[in-house]
Amino acid sequence: LIALYVCISASAGVYNEWLYKNMGKADSIHMCNIRIYVTGCLFCLVTHFGVGEGSALAPGFGGLFKGYNMYTWALVATYSMMGLLLAQVMKLFDSIVKLFISGSSMYVSALLTVVIFGRWPSVLFLVSMALVTLAILLYNLEYITLMGEVKKGD
């Protein structure tokens, strides 16, 4: 199941990048977002109405926002902003950069967790951060080496 999720997620990322860079090359970022999000919303709406009557997610517009509270709307706003930011990254850069930005968000998450909640990260989290740091350094090794040589030449 995890392998299937990974394959579908990677395929969706590549497809989104293709949409932004090929089909939406001449369009503004907003038109690309509208095209992608309308498709996603329609797919989710069809899925919502396809759920059976006996489910907790009973179909119909009445249950569409059932259970939403202040925190839910805060998450909706946060993910909307994150989606706009990632759309800009996908249009200007590639999927690898998007993955490194997502991996680098671990640093911000760890710092805010300590500052806001006073909770220190676990050993597993710190090991994960070390792996992300290593990946970022390896990806940029050529650039780092080149910058070091330029500074030696001055």
Side-chain angles (χ1 to χ4, degrees):
L1 208 52
I2 292 174
L4 179 66
Y5 170 76
V6 168
C7 290
I8 291 172
S9 179
S11 299
V14 170
Y15 181 66
N16 275 339
E17 184 177 353
W18 179 81
L19 284 175
Y20 278 118
K21 292 187 177 175
N22 293 324
M23 290 197 53
K25 192 176 224 175
D27 296 339
S28 74
I29 191 77
H30 304 297
M31 286 307 297
C32 292
N33 283 341
I34 289 170
R35 188 180 306 121
I36 288 173
Y37 289 124
V38 164
T39 306
C41 288
L42 288 176
F43 179 78
C44 289
L45 195 60
V46 167
T47 304
H48 174 74
F49 284 120
V51 173
E53 278 296 323
S55 172
L57 298 173
F61 286 111
L64 196 57
F65 298 110
K66 184 178 180 181
Y68 277 38
N69 59 20
M70 175 182 67
Y71 300 111
T72 308
W73 287 112
L75 279 174
V76 167
T78 300
Y79 279 109
S80 297
M81 294 298 161
M82 191 169 59
L84 292 173
L85 180 66
L86 285 177
Q88 199 70 19
V89 168
M90 291 298 287
K91 185 145 179 129
L92 300 175
F93 302 106
D94 60 2
S95 295
I96 299 295
V97 173
K98 181 185 85 78
L99 290 174
F100 280 125
I101 289 173
S102 296
S104 299
S105 69
M106 290 173 48
Y107 298 105
V108 176
S109 176
L111 179 66
L112 290 177
T113 300
V114 172
V115 170
I116 294 173
F117 302 114
R119 185 166 183 226
W120 290 92
S122 68
V123 174
L124 182 61
F125 188 85
L126 293 174
V127 169
S128 300
M129 282 180 59
L131 287 174
V132 168
T133 304
L134 181 64
I136 291 171
L137 290 174
L138 285 174
Y139 183 74
N140 292 306
L141 186 62
E142 183 179 335
Y143 177 74
I144 293 169
T145 307
L146 181 66
M147 290 305 292
E149 290 174 4
V150 168
K151 286 188 179 186
K152 285 181 186 176
D154 285 343

